[in-house]
Amino acid sequence: MLKLMLMLKLADRVPTCCRAVRGGGSVSSYFTFQMSCDAVMSHIRRTLSLLRGCRTFSQSARSSSTSISSSDGGLVLRSRSTDVYQNLALEDWIEANVDLQQRSILLLWRNRPCVVIGRHQNPWSECNLPAMRRAGIPLARRRSGGGTVFHDLGNLNLTFFTSKKAYDRQRNLKVVTDALRRIRPELDVHATDRLDIVLNGRFKISGSASRLSRKSSYHHCTLLHSADRSALAAVLRPSCPGIHSNATPSVPSPVANLLDHAPTLQWEELLDAVVHQYNAEFSFSAASALVDPADESAFPGLSSAAAELRGWDWTFGKTPKFSVQTALQLPEEGSSLSSAQLDMDIKSGVIERCQLDVPDDWLPRRLSGGLSDVLVGERFCGHRAAAAFTALLRCESGELRDRLRKLCDAVVTAMG
């Protein structure tokens, strides 16, 4: 235990990143415990207290600490949480609070069903938001770049933390591919130039993203063991037609689960193989500990960081500026259709400009123009748009009200 905590050289302050800022089996059994969670948390708390109370150490104490910690520079942490926001916040907490110049860490985690987009992506382009809402699947934006991924309890996430100098994504992926070859030699797996891992030269089983800071780095990747591929296909498709943006697009690839090609591969066997190979690759004998990111006494400030990641302003408001130009189909009685054109500019998730071109003989310009006006300054959000339209609809009656409602419904649908 002492060795574990000596590996974590924690900063003597609340992390700067925290100031602002769904599978089977029981959650507690999916990782093999090498240490008692309660004991680890207790030790973390004691160590934090000591570090805060002692701003300086004697030379002999520093030498002793360096001697012990330098005998093994690796550590494996396994998150007890399956909440995507807590786990993403845990990544950021470690990066901000652990001295990664002295310590490398492998964090293993998984989430209940969710969709995670990259830092510079557009959620309306990347995922089916209406389908996600119906299924209760949350959306999260991570702080690293890269593309959109679907997580559930059949997907393993691995985060490799190192100093910036030791940053080596190919070597990290080698840990995964070598682990798979060791326990299932029949699997044809290799890492690509795009830093994916593919099976049989075709099926993607892992994707990567990373974040580099001034002195530290982390590289995280997925690994599909037994994910729900039907859910993945249903949610990883666009919500909104006609988007024009410089946001980073995802690159669609055929995917497969390891279990499809290695039916006897158990979850615990996979975890043990990855930990073993991490130690072998980096010449570590890494201690392994279960950690709970919900424990604020062990990870001060993490809950507020998770709350920021959960908020609309981060998830949607950080979307790069984009525009929408799309046709709206306006149903008439019988089988006939009329159409209108929607043209919008959106910045920080808020509508900056809106123009609706509707045939004058279908709806008077004062109504289509009024509808455009009430949208400017609103979030690009169907619920907010519907609420904004309510006052306009109250002021009309008869056929004009029916047509205005159809136009409002078409705009809300176009927003995903």
Side-chain angles (χ1 to χ4, degrees):
M1 293 299 298
L2 178 59
K3 182 179 181 181
L4 167 63
M5 297 318 305
L6 284 170
M7 291 175 179
L8 291 171
K9 188 175 180 181
L10 303 175
D12 182 27
R13 57 183 172 88
V14 175
T16 55
C17 73
C18 297
R19 289 188 212 148
V21 318
R22 249 178 193 239
S26 69
V27 170
S28 62
S29 65
Y30 79 90
F31 285 141
T32 302
F33 301 164
Q34 286 185 280
M35 290 188 173
S36 160
C37 177
D38 291 342
V40 171
M41 291 299 100
S42 176
H43 201 97
I44 289 174
R45 287 190 287 268
R46 291 197 302 272
T47 304
L48 282 169
S49 177
L50 285 171
L51 289 176
R52 289 169 182 152
C54 305
R55 293 184 179 274
T56 60
F57 296 90
S58 68
Q59 184 62 45
S60 61
R62 284 198 299 268
S63 299
S64 174
S65 174
T66 301
S67 174
I68 295 172
S69 62
S70 64
S71 65
D72 187 343
L75 180 64
V76 176
L77 302 178
R78 298 173 173 180
S79 175
R80 186 179 183 179
S81 176
T82 56
D83 179 280
V84 61
Y85 306 107
Q86 288 182 345
N87 283 325
L88 290 175
L90 177 59
E91 286 187 311
D92 294 329
W93 195 98
I94 292 171
E95 193 270 339
N97 288 277
V98 177
D99 184 358
L100 297 173
Q101 305 299 308
Q102 305 295 327
R103 194 67 44 225
S104 293
I105 295 177
L106 172 62
L107 174 66
L108 303 176
W109 48 291
R110 65 177 180 174
N111 297 314
R112 299 185 298 274
C114 61
V115 173
V116 184
I117 59 173
R119 172 66 180 84
H120 307 292
Q121 289 200 289
N122 184 313
W124 294 276
S125 295
E126 297 294 335
C127 46
N128 188 335
L129 295 169
M132 290 168 61
R133 285 193 293 268
R134 290 191 297 270
I137 296 175
L139 173 68
R141 183 188 296 274
R142 61 180 182 266
R143 297 192 184 277
S144 62
T148 299
V149 290
F150 171 75
H151 289 182
D152 66 9
L153 295 177
N155 170 71
L156 174 64
N157 297 293
L158 309 89
T159 309
F160 297 85
F161 296 88
T162 63
S163 65
K164 187 175 182 179
K165 184 177 181 180
Y167 175 73
D168 189 336
R169 292 178 294 175
Q170 288 285 3
R171 193 174 183 189
N172 296 337
L173 295 181
K174 184 175 181 292
V175 169
V176 180
T177 55
D178 284 359
L180 292 173
R181 293 186 189 114
R182 186 175 66 85
I183 57 174
R184 292 297 186 275
E186 70 277 14
L187 290 177
D188 175 15
V189 293
H190 70 273
T192 69
D193 292 339
R194 291 182 51 83
L195 301 172
D196 299 326
I197 298 177
V198 296
L199 178 67
N200 296 338
R202 178 188 177 193
F203 298 106
K204 183 175 177 177
I205 59 171
S206 175
S208 286
S210 56
R211 173 178 166 85
L212 290 170
S213 299
R214 188 169 64 90
K215 291 185 177 181
S216 59
S217 70
Y218 64 76
H219 165 219
H220 43 201
C221 61
T222 57
L223 186 57
L224 297 175
H225 173 265
S226 50
D228 185 342
R229 288 190 290 133
S230 62
L232 183 154
V235 299
L236 297 189
R237 58 181 64 185
S239 299
C240 180
I243 288 180
H244 301 272
S245 172
N246 290 323
T248 303
S250 296
V251 179
S253 302
V255 299
N257 281 312
L258 287 168
L259 212 59
D260 298 334
H261 298 263
T264 62
L265 179 58
Q266 298 299 307
W267 182 262
E268 292 78 9
E269 182 185 9
L270 176 61
L271 289 171
D272 290 344
V274 168
V275 173
H276 172 90
Q277 198 61 43
Y278 177 70
N279 283 324
E281 177 66 31
F282 295 102
S283 300
F284 296 150
S285 56
S288 179
L290 187 73
V291 295
D292 184 0
D295 187 342
E296 188 73 8
S297 63
F299 302 101
L302 192 147
S303 61
S304 62
E308 180 179 345
L309 294 175
R310 193 177 281 111
W312 194 95
D313 287 343
W314 171 257
T315 306
F316 295 98
K318 292 298 183 181
T319 303
K321 185 175 181 178
F322 66 103
S323 62
V324 176
Q325 290 97 38
T326 188
L328 305 177
Q329 299 303 313
L330 306 172
E332 294 274 29
E333 288 187 10
S335 59
S336 61
L337 286 172
S338 293
S339 65
Q341 191 70 27
L342 175 64
D343 187 355
M344 286 180 171
D345 291 333
I346 298 95
K347 182 179 180 181
S348 301
V350 175
I351 300 168
E352 285 194 317
R353 181 187 65 85
C354 179
Q355 181 176 341
L356 272 166
D357 292 325
V358 185
D360 290 343
D361 60 353
W362 194 85
L363 191 72
R365 188 165 297 183
R366 68 175 178 83
L367 291 178
S368 61
L371 193 152
S372 297
D373 290 344
V374 300
L375 286 175
V376 174
E378 286 286 351
R379 290 177 176 179
F380 186 73
C381 168
H383 294 301
R384 295 288 284 263
F389 296 155
T390 302
L392 278 177
L393 289 167
R394 285 201 202 102
C395 296
E396 301 301 325
S397 60
E399 185 179 5
L400 281 181
R401 178 187 171 92
D402 291 341
R403 289 188 173 186
L404 183 58
R405 182 182 296 280
K406 289 173 183 178
L407 180 58
C408 291
D409 290 345
V411 172
V412 169
T413 299
M415 290 184 176

